[in-house]
Amino acid sequence: MSIRNAAPALAAAALFGASTPFAKLLVGDVGPLLLAGLLYLGSGVGLSLLLGLRRMRPSAADERASLRIPKAEWPWLLGAVAFGGVLGPVFLLLGLTQTSGAAASLLLNIEGVFTAVIAWFVFKENADRQIVLGMLTIMGGGLLLSWAPGAASFSMGALLIVAACLCWAIDNNLTRKVSTNDAMLVAAIKGLIAGISNTSFALLSGDSLPGVSTLGACMAVGFLGYGLSLTLFVVALRGLGTARTGAYFSIAPLFGVAISFAIWPSMPGLLFWLAAALMAIGTWLHIRERHEHVHTHEPLEHSHRHRHDEHHQHSHDFAWDGVEPHSHPHQHVAMTHSHTHYPDIHHRHQHPKRRD
């Protein structure tokens, strides 16, 4: 795997991690549930505006045709929104009222583990020893980064945070099922539905909207840290699969802590540097992966942005100006070959059990 393959997931982690300290600056002015709603709303509104600008471009005819979710995939998308955009934040906020911030930070690292376990055992995504070791190393760095002695004590608050992590892990795996669609469209729909839902819950609970400047700041942080981050996350799901994308995304706290040191200047402690080293090693293990074997592609029809590479040798039933990448419904015929690949949207095949 090259840096180019990993770049969308790493960029998504950086944007989301950076949003955490900036969101912390807003917590004193906005209630937690309302803040969660406004962040998602900023994501959905900002991405919707970008989609509108894309549709207005003269060269975007193929994009306009692709800005729809197939009817058969809506249950996956709505399930992802329900678990990740509604239930997850609610469980987290309930848990935060009964446990410390240190405990929450420590427990949130479980999301990456849940994401990988569901991907490997429920959706049968392939992973070799190197990928598993890399994921565990990254998660170990996350544990060190948020470690506080005695923080992870058993309590109802801790169980609620674990439930939030499980919801987000389910969200990640369900989102992969719709990742062939336009990534910005998927992220915009998730942001709008989750944002409207959580903001409505907050207002019905007695919260009131903040002033214009604070409202704008919430929406801006949500657009960058949630909207663009989620768009890149969906792109990564399309190219890397769920477990690998989840592992890269798990380094987000490292970016958040680094930016926190810049906002609230202080010298990073030993645990920060140990965590950074572990995350770097885990990322390196993933990047150096080379998975190659003879595999068979089953016949498949779908739509996504693509170039005419070895997996996209098809003709067009419409006038094509030769511009790539482009998007349109296309068919894949059965094909058997061997090359380096990852569990992307074209390589979701089964693997024979290894015999050591």
Side-chain angles (χ1 to χ4, degrees):
M1 187 183 300
S2 65
I3 287 291
R4 180 180 178 181
N5 297 115
L10 293 172
L15 283 169
F16 183 73
S19 72
T20 302
F22 289 108
K24 183 178 179 180
L25 291 172
L26 298 168
V27 168
D29 301 318
V30 187
L33 183 56
L34 180 58
L35 177 58
L38 292 177
L39 290 172
Y40 278 112
L41 201 57
S43 161
V45 171
L47 293 179
S48 296
L49 291 175
L50 283 183
L51 287 170
L53 292 175
R54 281 173 49 188
R55 288 174 62 90
M56 293 171 60
R57 292 186 307 171
S59 61
D62 66 305
E63 290 188 9
R64 288 193 290 271
S66 69
L67 290 179
R68 61 174 63 93
I69 305 294
K71 185 177 179 180
E73 296 183 15
W74 271 100
W76 298 110
L77 180 56
L78 292 177
V81 173
F83 279 101
V86 180
L87 291 177
V90 170
F91 282 136
L92 176 63
L93 293 168
L94 289 173
L96 287 174
T97 64
Q98 303 179 47
T99 189
S100 68
S105 297
L106 187 61
L107 290 166
L108 286 173
N109 288 285
I110 298 174
E111 179 190 344
V113 176
F114 281 161
T115 296
V117 168
I118 293 172
W120 294 334
F121 292 99
V122 177
F123 293 96
K124 308 302 181 183
E125 186 174 300
N126 177 66
D128 56 26
R129 291 188 183 91
Q130 180 170 299
I131 291 301
V132 174
L133 180 59
M135 189 274 289
L136 292 176
T137 305
I138 291 172
M139 295 309 300
L143 289 172
L144 279 180
L145 198 62
S146 54
W147 176 253
S153 57
F154 181 82
S155 68
M156 180 55 67
L159 287 179
L160 287 169
I161 292 173
V162 170
C165 291
L166 179 59
C167 286
W168 288 321
I170 295 172
D171 169 20
N172 294 338
N173 280 276
L174 294 181
T175 300
R176 186 200 184 200
K177 302 291 287 186
V178 297
S179 61
T180 58
N181 297 287
D182 188 278
M184 190 174 291
L185 176 64
V186 171
I189 292 172
K190 292 182 71 173
L192 286 174
I193 297 177
I196 292 172
S197 300
N198 290 329
T199 301
S200 299
F201 291 152
L203 295 177
L204 290 173
S205 299
D207 287 347
S208 57
L209 291 175
V212 175
S213 60
T214 301
L215 181 63
C218 293
M219 302 282 277
V221 171
F223 170 63
L224 294 171
Y226 285 60
L228 292 185
S229 176
L230 181 55
T231 300
L232 290 166
F233 187 86
V234 175
V235 171
L237 286 173
R238 183 187 303 163
L240 298 177
T242 312
R244 288 161 178 79
T245 301
Y248 284 125
F249 197 73
S250 295
I251 71 173
L254 187 66
F255 293 106
V257 172
I259 291 175
S260 294
F261 285 138
I263 297 176
W264 300 281
S266 63
M267 179 61 66
L270 177 61
L271 287 183
F272 172 83
W273 297 112
L274 290 175
L278 283 175
M279 289 180 170
I281 292 171
T283 302
W284 174 75
L285 286 171
H286 276 236
I287 289 175
R288 70 186 295 269
E289 176 194 16
R290 182 176 178 82
H291 180 73
E292 181 175 353
H293 61 89
V294 175
H295 56 277
T296 299
H297 296 267
E298 300 295 335
L300 173 68
E301 181 175 356
H302 61 183
S303 177
H304 64 92
R305 287 177 64 79
H306 61 276
R307 298 180 183 276
H308 283 199
D309 55 22
E310 60 181 322
H311 293 102
H312 296 92
Q313 296 298 319
H314 51 253
S315 58
H316 297 84
D317 57 3
F318 57 88
W320 176 43
D321 56 10
V323 175
E324 294 183 330
H326 62 175
S327 177
H328 62 88
H330 57 276
Q331 292 183 334
H332 294 268
V333 299
M335 177 192 305
T336 299
H337 59 179
S338 176
H339 63 94
T340 301
H341 61 278
Y342 317 105
D344 57 25
I345 57 175
H346 298 110
H347 296 93
R348 296 178 178 176
H349 49 259
Q350 297 295 314
H351 292 74
K353 293 183 178 180
R354 296 182 56 173
R355 295 182 178 179
D356 295 327

